[in-house]
Amino acid sequence: MNKFHPRPTKNDTDLALAISDVEAIGWTLIDRQAEGEGLQRFVNLTFRRRESGAPNA
Protein backbone atom coordinates (compact mmCIF):
# COMPACT_ATOMS: atom_id res chain seq x y z
CA MET A 1 0.00 0.00 0.00
CA ASN A 2 1.22 3.51 -0.82
CA LYS A 3 0.07 6.76 0.72
CA PHE A 4 -0.27 9.74 -1.60
CA HIS A 5 0.47 13.13 -0.02
CA PRO A 6 -1.29 15.82 -2.10
CA ARG A 7 0.32 19.25 -1.97
CA PRO A 8 -1.86 21.55 0.17
CA THR A 9 -1.29 24.53 -2.14
CA LYS A 10 -2.39 22.74 -5.31
CA ASN A 11 -6.14 22.35 -4.50
CA ASP A 12 -5.80 18.60 -5.15
CA THR A 13 -4.83 19.17 -8.80
CA ASP A 14 -1.87 16.83 -8.27
CA LEU A 15 -4.21 14.22 -6.79
CA ALA A 16 -6.46 14.36 -9.86
CA LEU A 17 -3.42 14.04 -12.13
CA ALA A 18 -2.11 11.05 -10.18
CA ILE A 19 -5.48 9.29 -10.47
CA SER A 20 -5.64 10.04 -14.21
CA ASP A 21 -2.12 8.66 -14.74
CA VAL A 22 -2.93 5.39 -12.98
CA GLU A 23 -6.27 5.01 -14.81
CA ALA A 24 -4.49 5.64 -18.12
CA ILE A 25 -2.44 2.46 -17.65
CA GLY A 26 -5.45 0.21 -17.09
CA TRP A 27 -6.63 0.64 -13.51
CA THR A 28 -9.94 1.99 -12.13
CA LEU A 29 -10.22 3.95 -8.89
CA ILE A 30 -12.60 2.11 -6.56
CA ASP A 31 -12.00 3.88 -3.23
CA ARG A 32 -10.41 7.06 -1.87
CA GLN A 33 -9.93 7.86 1.82
CA ALA A 34 -8.37 11.12 3.03
CA GLU A 35 -6.80 11.35 6.48
CA GLY A 36 -4.91 13.97 8.46
CA GLU A 37 -4.64 17.70 7.89
CA GLY A 38 -2.15 20.19 6.49
CA LEU A 39 1.28 18.75 5.78
CA GLN A 40 0.31 15.49 7.51
CA ARG A 41 -2.62 14.94 5.12
CA PHE A 42 -2.56 11.86 2.94
CA VAL A 43 -4.94 9.96 0.71
CA ASN A 44 -5.24 6.21 0.36
CA LEU A 45 -6.23 5.34 -3.20
CA THR A 46 -7.47 1.86 -4.06
CA PHE A 47 -7.45 0.78 -7.68
CA ARG A 48 -8.61 -2.39 -9.44
CA ARG A 49 -7.20 -3.55 -12.75
CA ARG A 50 -9.70 -3.21 -15.57
CA GLU A 51 -10.97 -6.30 -17.35
CA SER A 52 -8.81 -6.98 -20.40
CA GLY A 53 -11.87 -7.23 -22.65
CA ALA A 54 -13.19 -3.79 -21.71
CA PRO A 55 -10.59 -1.09 -22.41
CA ASN A 56 -11.34 2.27 -20.83
CA ALA A 57 -14.47 0.89 -19.20
Side-chain angles (χ1 to χ4, degrees):
M1 173 170 50
N2 292 313
K3 292 180 181 176
F4 181 84
H5 295 269
R7 287 177 257 166
T9 59
K10 295 289 186 178
N11 296 323
D12 288 345
T13 300
D14 56 337
L15 178 59
L17 290 172
I19 292 169
S20 294
D21 288 347
V22 174
E23 289 183 332
I25 60 170
W27 295 81
T28 301
L29 180 67
I30 60 171
D31 188 42
R32 170 175 38 184
Q33 294 179 342
E35 296 182 31
E37 293 186 24
L39 296 177
Q40 298 300 315
R41 181 172 170 249
F42 67 90
V43 180
N44 284 318
L45 303 173
T46 305
F47 292 88
R48 176 180 297 144
R49 184 169 288 285
R50 268 191 233 115
E51 300 288 328
S52 61
N56 299 322

